[in-house]
Amino acid sequence: MPRRFRTSRPRPQGRTAGFRRVPTGGPHAATTFGANFSDGYALGVIGAVLPALGETMRLSGVWQGLLGASALIGLFFGSILLGQVADVIERQKLYLYDFVLIAVASAAQFWAHSPLALFLLRLAIGFGLGADYAVGPTLLSEFVPGRLRGVLLGSLTVLWAVGYVLANIAGTYIPINGTTAYWLLASGAVPALLVLLRIGIPESPSWLAARGRAAEAARIRRTYLGQSEATAADVEAAAAAQPPVTASSSPAVRRPRPGSVSSSTAPRCCPTSPSNTFMPQILATLNISGADNQNLVLNLALLLGGVIGLWPVQRLGRRPFTIGTFAILTLCPGAMAMLSDGSSAALMVPFLDLTFVMAGASTITQVYPAELFPTALRGSGVGFLNGTSRVASAIGTFVLPVSLSHFGAGWSMGWMALVLLLGTVVSLAWAPETRDTLTAEDLHH
């Protein structure tokens, strides 16, 4: 089945393959990795401080759900709207300005002493993150060679997990009260100052070439990708000789349909994102003893799972990896639902498995979108798939605290298992294999 999605066009040889010998995306890799660390920290810190804010602000379950989901709601709109903008204006501009918004809104949380003010600022942070989720992987995929694309794009999730885990560990071991909670929220502005490193980052040469700016594209390829002038000229000649890539003409869009990826990844995000955000509350509801230490173990499992997940997503292929991880994730909350009245040790085994596999499975969400869309549509496509998956995350994050308070952990884990079972079935039916798909960049490289 994987071969069905390969294109019939041969890979370029000789001098036109020079771009593929570039080992990494250079400055884009460094700043995008750093950005994902900042993204994870900004999203993780709200879960770390929500228990303290719930007491100081006297938050209901609804407000806790809204604050937990606020950044995800903003992320949806930022991904959808600004992903399309990135295909029209220069990607580099959004790549710079989205983190200005994140830094300012993160710092302003220090003065947000009402649920509504904090909710609006978290929306703004999410809007900026949405732009970065659309533009960062898009730019990186247009600079890295195809043979490293799966590993490098998957590594974005690992850096996200590092930031997320750091925020959770800080929330666990720093005494959180009405004052320190706001300091911790505002600390998200520190990694967001990464924006300063993005000044002067080059534009995507593939995007420039698609807009008829071949001379600028050739200059960037010579300066940042180490191509000789003759090689860069050959690349641009090959690009000009290719017919325009559109949604109807591109094999990458025509066969592995983006809707199939969205429908198979969204059910993963619905239960897994809230289980991260409300990990301390889940532990408390399950009456697990030593919750702080257990929380630390789960966060380390989250980090380790992301690192180990890089290998199977590259070696096994995208489709079997997606189906296999969905099946395992379905079993874990199902076991937790059946063991909800059991011992702490018995409950921690499936919870640990859920966290570990969930982190590894999340790497596919960065890899799939960049391999489905051609240059002209990649910003919109990556933004669309990230945005739709975050709708599911936001819904799950809003519903889970309400479900925990009204129905308890057993029933809450039960509906999470059913959602993941739906994702398994959808993936079996529609998840595409894109590992060997030839992108427009591969044709030019």
Side-chain angles (χ1 to χ4, degrees), residues 41 45-46 48-50 52-59 67 105-119 121-122 125 171 174-190:
Y41 187 89
V45 73
I46 189 67
V49 302
L50 262 180
L53 293 179
E55 296 180 5
T56 58
M57 290 186 176
R58 302 181 183 277
L59 298 176
L67 290 176
S106 295
Q109 290 178 107
F110 184 79
W111 296 279
H113 295 289
S114 72
L116 179 59
L118 185 57
F119 176 78
L121 286 172
R122 300 289 302 172
I125 291 170
I174 295 175
I176 303 295
N177 53 43
T179 301
T180 56
Y182 289 103
W183 277 109
L184 200 57
L185 284 170
S187 67
V190 177

Side-chain angles (χ1 to χ4, degrees), residues 58-115:
R58 302 181 183 277
L59 298 176
S60 64
V62 173
W63 263 117
Q64 288 190 49
L66 284 173
L67 290 176
S70 53
L72 297 170
I73 297 170
L75 201 152
F76 163 72
F77 289 105
S79 294
I80 296 291
L81 298 177
L82 296 183
Q84 297 180 53
V85 172
D87 285 333
V88 178
I89 70 170
E90 294 182 8
R91 306 207 202 286
Q92 193 272 343
K93 291 180 179 177
L94 280 180
Y95 195 58
L96 174 64
Y97 295 137
D98 59 9
F99 256 73
V100 174
L101 174 61
I102 295 168
V104 172
S106 295
Q109 290 178 107
F110 184 79
W111 296 279
H113 295 289
S114 72

Side-chain angles (χ1 to χ4, degrees), residues 19 28 86-87 89-93 95 135-136 138-144 201-211 213-214 216-218 220-221 224-225 236 375-376 378 441 444-445:
F19 184 84
H28 292 86
D87 285 333
I89 70 170
E90 294 182 8
R91 306 207 202 286
Q92 193 272 343
K93 291 180 179 177
Y95 195 58
V135 179
T138 298
L139 265 177
L140 182 59
S141 69
E142 292 169 353
F143 270 85
V144 300
I201 286 289
E203 182 56 78
S204 162
S206 300
W207 184 88
L208 290 171
R211 291 296 183 276
R213 296 160 64 177
E216 294 176 65
I220 290 173
R221 285 195 162 107
Y224 293 93
L225 303 175
E236 297 311 323
T375 302
R378 187 167 293 122
E441 281 66 37
H444 301 163
H445 300 170

Side-chain angles (χ1 to χ4, degrees), residues 1-5 319 428-433:
M1 187 170 184
R3 293 180 180 273
R4 186 161 64 95
F5 299 110
R319 175 178 165 82
L428 280 167
W430 292 317
E433 179 55 71

Side-chain angles (χ1 to χ4, degrees), residues 357-384:
V357 177
M358 172 176 58
S362 297
T363 59
I364 197 67
T365 61
Q366 296 285 5
V367 179
Y368 254 149
E371 294 180 337
L372 281 170
F373 297 93
T375 302
L377 301 174
R378 187 167 293 122
S380 301
V382 173
F384 171 77

